[in-house]
Amino acid sequence: MIISVCGKPSTGKSTFFKAATLAEVEIAPHPFTTIKSQEGIAFVKIPCVDKEFNKQCNPRYGYCVDHQRFLPIKLYDIPGLIEDAHLGEGLGLEFLNDIREADVLIHIIDISGSTDEKGNSVPALSHDPLKDVRFLERELDYWYLSILKKGWDRFVKALRVDNLNIKQSLEKQLSGLKVTEEIIETAVKKLKLLHHPSEWNDNDLINLARELRKATKPIVIAANKIDVAGSEMYFEKLKEEFQDYKVIPCSADSEIALREASKHKLISYIPGVDNFTIINESKLSREQLNALNYIKNNVLKKYNSTGVQDVLNYAVFDLLKYIAIFPGGVNKLQDSEGRVLPDCFLMPEKSTALDFAFKIHTDIGNNFVKAINVKTKQAVGKDHLLKNLDVIEIKTSK
């Protein structure tokens, strides 16, 4: 699973990345602070099943707070894209290639309208952030089109001479973008491209590129800087104009402040919630107290969270439709070192008990006999479809 943070320069991409990972990244109010992709570990949040067993889990990876389990995922911060990136402007092709392997994109928008088309700071509300959504769509669509059209004449000629399968041939040409035969077939049917590819015109090709992009690079929009006065106007306009997207209000700056304060044990805070508790007020300056109160009143109470955790969870569980599965035993939830429910795996939807066995270890998959749903204590076969938050015991022949 590859999740990439993208958008134009200076919208808060690196701020969001730091808020999600607490990685040390350079953040500055000018374009191209990030000049190469960066990788970090972020976390998605699920209700931990340990509460159902009246236990406290001990994760090997990630962590658990108040029965809220945080599972690690990889997050990539892509350098800012500018207009005509698909033509190579601003190292655009290099940056776009960093997106190639992404399974889902988090598009960071400066919803306060204080960043222009080139990533320069401008007065708040002076730039229409709706333009930024169209900008990214256009750059991605024409990037897909450029890959689709590369060697197109030779491709069409080969189809005629060798009577090749269109879907298989297109899949081979676009495999780097994770385009499959099924995706191609669905797009071709939707666009009614029933005639031979040699007769497809430029309009047909850009429409096909757009459909393939939508299928392989789903997008969630993080409406960042929602805490800036007046931003809600653009937020409502964005939701109305782009109803095909999930638009989540976000304040990455606020999330960093809360996580840093929690890290230094000044407050008690769980990412993704609508409140925090001050632990040691005497160690906070008046400026820090004012900042925390501002976040509480203008972000958390208003939008129920800073939005950062919501964006990550939506990307993984709603767009990619992953499910969280715990390995465990009917009679024993501990591992050999005494850790309770130490592991939890993110699996694609429609994963089976056998898929889960192989996820744990190849030998366990190869020697699979049956699985047991630990919650219900019922035995299930290898083709049993797993559900989110299942706890599964695998029985093997060895």
Side-chain angles (χ1 to χ4, degrees):
M1 179 199 317
I2 299 177
I3 303 172
S4 294
V5 177
C6 65
K8 70 182 187 184
S10 302
T11 55
K13 292 185 291 73
S14 293
T15 306
F16 182 96
F17 180 79
K18 180 174 181 177
T21 64
L22 282 187
E24 291 302 321
V25 297
E26 186 179 359
I27 299 172
H30 54 75
F32 300 110
T33 304
T34 303
I35 58 174
K36 64 179 181 178
S37 296
Q38 301 184 72
E39 176 185 339
I41 299 298
F43 299 87
V44 290
K45 183 174 72 170
I46 62 170
C48 191
V49 298
D50 63 355
K51 190 173 184 179
E52 299 179 46
F53 296 96
N54 196 28
K55 301 282 188 179
Q56 175 58 58
C57 70
N58 311 105
R60 286 200 301 165
Y61 306 105
Y63 59 100
C64 190
V65 181
D66 195 22
H67 302 293
Q68 298 294 306
R69 186 86 168 232
F70 289 82
L71 308 177
I73 57 172
K74 285 187 178 181
L75 187 68
Y76 293 83
D77 181 18
I78 304 298
L81 298 169
I82 62 173
E83 188 174 359
D84 290 333
H86 68 281
L87 297 177
E89 291 295 324
L91 296 178
L93 290 178
E94 180 180 334
F95 296 167
L96 283 168
N97 281 329
D98 287 336
I99 294 175
R100 185 183 294 268
E101 290 298 313
D103 296 297
V104 64
L105 301 177
I106 296 173
H107 186 189
I108 308 296
I109 299 280
D110 179 354
I111 201 65
S112 73
S114 57
T115 309
D116 69 13
E117 291 88 344
K118 296 182 179 180
N120 298 306
S121 294
V122 294
L125 309 180
S126 64
H127 174 75
D128 184 356
L130 277 69
K131 294 180 180 178
D132 299 340
V133 180
R134 301 186 186 98
F135 147 75
L136 184 67
E137 288 181 332
R138 179 179 182 276
E139 292 304 322
L140 292 176
D141 290 345
Y142 277 90
W143 175 50
Y144 268 60
L145 178 64
S146 67
I147 297 172
L148 184 63
K149 293 182 70 175
K150 189 175 182 180
W152 182 256
D153 291 339
R154 291 194 303 274
F155 169 74
V156 170
K157 184 177 180 180
L159 286 177
R160 285 193 178 281
V161 174
D162 300 325
N163 195 29
L164 300 176
N165 181 286
I166 295 174
K167 288 179 292 185
Q168 288 180 351
S169 300
L170 279 178
E171 180 190 27
K172 184 177 180 180
Q173 186 165 339
L174 301 168
S175 60
L177 297 170
K178 301 192 175 182
V179 175
T180 65
E181 283 191 49
E182 183 180 1
I183 290 173
I184 293 168
E185 182 176 16
T186 300
V188 167
K189 285 183 178 179
K190 180 178 179 179
L191 298 173
K192 299 180 180 179
L193 297 178
L194 305 179
H195 41 301
H196 193 272
S198 62
E199 300 173 1
W200 294 356
N201 57 34
D202 289 342
N203 192 53
D204 293 330
L205 291 176
I206 187 59
N207 286 336
L208 178 59
R210 183 175 296 113
E211 290 300 320
L212 298 179
R213 184 266 301 172
K214 288 180 180 179
T216 55
K217 297 290 180 282
I219 296 172
V220 55
I221 296 176
N224 194 34
K225 306 184 186 179
I226 193 67
D227 52 302
V228 176
S231 297
E232 192 167 357
M233 172 191 69
Y234 277 136
F235 174 64
E236 294 300 329
K237 287 178 63 177
L238 195 64
K239 287 196 300 179
E240 178 65 26
E241 181 72 16
F242 296 97
Q243 296 185 21
D244 289 343
Y245 291 117
K246 179 69 171 180
V247 183
I248 297 176
C250 183
S251 175
D253 276 334
S254 297
E255 183 69 16
I256 289 178
L258 294 175
R259 291 200 185 197
E260 289 288 358
S262 179
K263 179 180 176 182
H264 291 90
K265 303 187 184 309
L266 299 174
I267 66 172
S268 175
Y269 170 68
I270 300 175
V273 302
D274 62 358
N275 207 346
F276 59 85
T277 303
I278 294 176
I279 297 175
N280 196 334
E281 187 171 340
S282 63
K283 290 188 177 181
L284 291 166
S285 67
R286 180 171 297 277
E287 290 76 12
Q288 288 173 318
L289 282 171
N290 288 339
L292 288 172
N293 283 327
Y294 182 88
I295 293 171
K296 179 178 288 188
N297 294 322
N298 294 280
V299 179
L300 299 183
K301 285 186 177 180
K302 197 170 184 179
Y303 300 105
N304 300 317
S305 79
T306 67
V308 172
Q309 191 65 58
D310 299 317
V311 169
L312 295 171
N313 270 43
Y314 186 85
V316 172
F317 297 117
D318 293 89
L319 288 180
L320 295 181
K321 301 187 183 303
Y322 271 66
I323 56 177
I325 309 296
F326 293 79
V330 172
N331 299 313
K332 189 176 182 182
L333 295 173
Q334 297 90 352
D335 65 6
S336 59
E337 297 180 27
R339 292 173 295 204
V340 176
L341 294 167
D343 296 314
C344 183
F345 296 94
L346 291 170
M347 304 282 295
E349 67 172 343
K350 298 182 180 179
S351 290
T352 65
L354 183 60
D355 294 329
F356 183 56
F358 275 108
K359 179 75 173 181
I360 297 172
H361 198 280
T362 302
D363 289 343
I364 293 177
N366 287 331
N367 294 289
F368 179 96
V369 174
K370 66 178 179 179
I372 300 176
N373 184 320
V374 175
K375 292 182 182 180
T376 64
K377 297 181 173 58
Q378 292 182 329
V380 297
K382 64 179 182 180
D383 295 325
H384 174 76
L385 293 178
L386 302 177
K387 296 179 181 178
N388 191 40
L389 303 183
D390 272 348
V391 184
I392 301 296
E393 180 179 5
I394 304 296
K395 296 290 187 179
T396 65
S397 58
K398 291 184 180 180

